[in-house]
Amino acid sequence: MESVKNSGTHTAAAVFFDAVARRILDAHGAALPDLRGIVILLPNFHAVQPLAQALMRVAQRPALLLPQMVTLNDWAQGVALDAPMSTDSQRSALLYQHLRKQQWFGNAELWGMTQELLKLFDELTYSLNELPGEAEAFAAVVQQAYQARRNSTLQLEARLVFELWHAMQSGAELDAARAYQQRLAMLAKKAERPLYVLRTSDWDAVEQRFLDEYGQHAMVKVFDLREMETQSGAPLFFAATSLEQEARAAALQVRHWLAAGKRDIAIVAQDRVVARRMRALLERAEVLVADETGWTFSTLSVSTVLDRWLTALQSDFYHHDLLDLLKSPYIFAEMTAGERKAAVYRLEQLLRKQGVVQGLEAFIALAGPEITLHQPLARLRQAAALLEQNGKRTLAEWLEALLESLNVLGIDTGLQQDDAGQQLLRALATWRQELHGDAGRYRYSEWRRWLAQQLDTQTYRDSGIDSTVCFTHLAATRWRAFDAVLLLGCDAEHLPGVADGGRWFNDAVRAALNLPTRSSHAVRQRDDLRALLAMNDTVLVTWQKDQQGEARLLSPFLQILRDAHEQSHRDDLAERELPALLAAEEAYQVLLPLSAQPAPSPSAMLSTGVGEVVPDSVSISAYNSLVACPYQFYARHILRLNELDEVQETIEKRDYGERVHGILQRFHERYPQVSGQDGAAMDAALRQISEEVFADLLAQDFAARAWLARWYKSLPAYLEWQAENEAAGWRYAESESTFDWQLEGIRLRGRIDRLDVRAEEKLVLDYKTQSEQVLRNKLKEPGEDVQLACYAYAHEAADAAFVSIENGKVKRVGAKHDVPLLAQLNAERLVQVIGAIRSGAGLPANGVDSACTYCEMRGVCRKGMWQ
């Protein structure tokens, strides 16, 4: 794009590297071509090549013996120490046990507190020379910084931190912070060679102390970009109106840079959410992105399978947790994907059909005849036994059991096929080895919180992607030059980022103790940003100027730069081509046409070789579906897209209705007639039967007691209605009888609740736990609800009615139309409609709104998206 400055070479960066090279060669020109007598400290190894090229360019020699160019950390790691080392996992376990033993913090989340304290201890170690040497003096400094009078709480906090820090340092083993400190001290003590340092911002106290001590023995020269550069570069700015627009604009800009020949492109991501979306868009455009920053294991799918496994175990294999685990691509990796999916599907069908909520042993019993499920469930049982949750174990023992369980479940085989999975398994094995000597014992819940924390602190970097486009962070750009830089997500909330100081000490105390503060963190970010802009010619800044209707500000660091440039150059540095390019891209998108109202013809499926697609028998509910909406019938009963039943965890009204049906069937089989019987005895009998029918529900769900009470409210009314029904001459004949009626070309099947007789007359009754008005509405239009008419036809009954049992009332709700005639017409209509479907008639989605409201097929017919 013309509005973005294009430079095939890193012009700005070359100026700085040449200046460094000239200064070094001016001091050591006599030693040319051998510069091995000096050391150059770099912020990262990316600066090696451009500095070496600058030395060659300025020296104008065909060859040079280059100086040692190294980062301070790598230089220090080359110093051998005699003392044994303590790993972070060992320190964490030791401190946790100490905090748990002292019980200073009650039920606080001790693993999180442990991590915060260890970070604080490292900062205190790095500031050792400036700290008071005993607890009282340390507490006094803290108290003075808080500007408070003598306060027991402050003293306790200060003494606790100081004494815990001293206790952690008292052992013979060195932690990483003390080891680094000692290595730097040894390097400074043995200083002989001149030392040159490249930096962009202030160093930590321990590193600055190293430079000061090194300078007492040998020459030290610091090249600080803050002193070398005259002014920051002028980036261009793009203000997005949403996260999606920012990600799309950023991805589009990267693609245009690549098309323009730029090959070394850095994406400095301040907002990781936008970065994820941008990466997806680039990968869709077949642009791979390397990632120098990495992601914590807790955010990766390879850790998800661990969490699913441990969650299922802890929940006693709650059905949702178990199915989530079994749907992971990592479990049972030696099985083919088809075999695994088929087994999971079959288990899910069983669970939903039988309504088993949890319990591995219950699932194993349920799967008795399903041979394909035997081995997976047996392996789950074996793996669960390895991680028995009762009792305590050491962290190493828990990890050993976890790894063994992953082997039993084939999860380790699945993880081995993934680079992130391999790194995760190595991390688990490393922690097990490091903690082998730790004797502390932990409950399952404690160990699981520890594991979650470890996964949240361990970082995965994908080394398998080699790309000229990379994600990186601001600190990693020190003294680096790129063909182009994209600063992503630079709103005021993300830049400067907030340094998390934890719950220990405010900034005033931290400053008094010479510890990093929020302010020092922000200053370092500002200096790194200025250095990045100074060394790079082509930079685009993006941010969201509003989010969900709320205005957002640009980073103050960049806003100051932008305002200054606008005042001096009458230019606000806005990127002017991206909006038009985004609009053009949107216009180019293929727009999906609005779908038409569907009216599929099952006969078309016959031509594809599917075979017989129209069912040869239908239930009453299927017939009702056909009348309510032909497309609903098509989706449910021809395509068989019926929703899977949910595993029932609480009693619902459907269960209540089924239990009422069962109660009345038992009651009337025992007492076909209530007339002439003692009313109190009938009431007692009906209550006893009700208790028996509800017994299993009462055992599993306390809420069932409320449904039973609801039914009890209707008992007097039901007995009164039954007596009136008998007074009219009707007698109970049978209940829950099935029928399968052969019509012309179709069979109609169903089950009636109850059949009464009066001499030669028959009356079909259907119990409903709905109000009288709702049932009257069902029967308002003849033929709209086919249930009663079909029941009457199947039993050659002269009449049919609903029995409304609701809210303490029992009412008979009969059809207003001639039932035998309506029954005949319904039968004839079913025969005609099925015949028409077989002849090629379409099944349109023409249900009225009331039929569509709760229809699970609405997403299939796409009502609301039609032309």
Side-chain angles (χ1 to χ4, degrees), residues 58 109 223 246 265 268 389 594 626 628 651 654 727 746 782 852:
V58 174
E109 209 292 282
F223 295 99
E246 182 179 10
I265 300 172
V268 183
Q389 299 176 56
L594 289 173
L626 179 61
I651 186 172
R654 178 181 61 181
I746 189 72
C852 298

Side-chain angles (χ1 to χ4, degrees), residues 13 21 108 152 167 197 389 416 442 455 540 640 642 644 651 719 732 754 761 786 831 853:
S152 58
V197 182
Q389 299 176 56
Q416 286 289 359
Y442 304 83
L455 295 175
L540 176 68
R640 296 179 176 86
N642 302 52
L644 286 173
I651 186 172
L719 290 172
Y732 170 84
R754 172 173 163 178
E761 295 179 88
V786 304
V831 170
T853 301

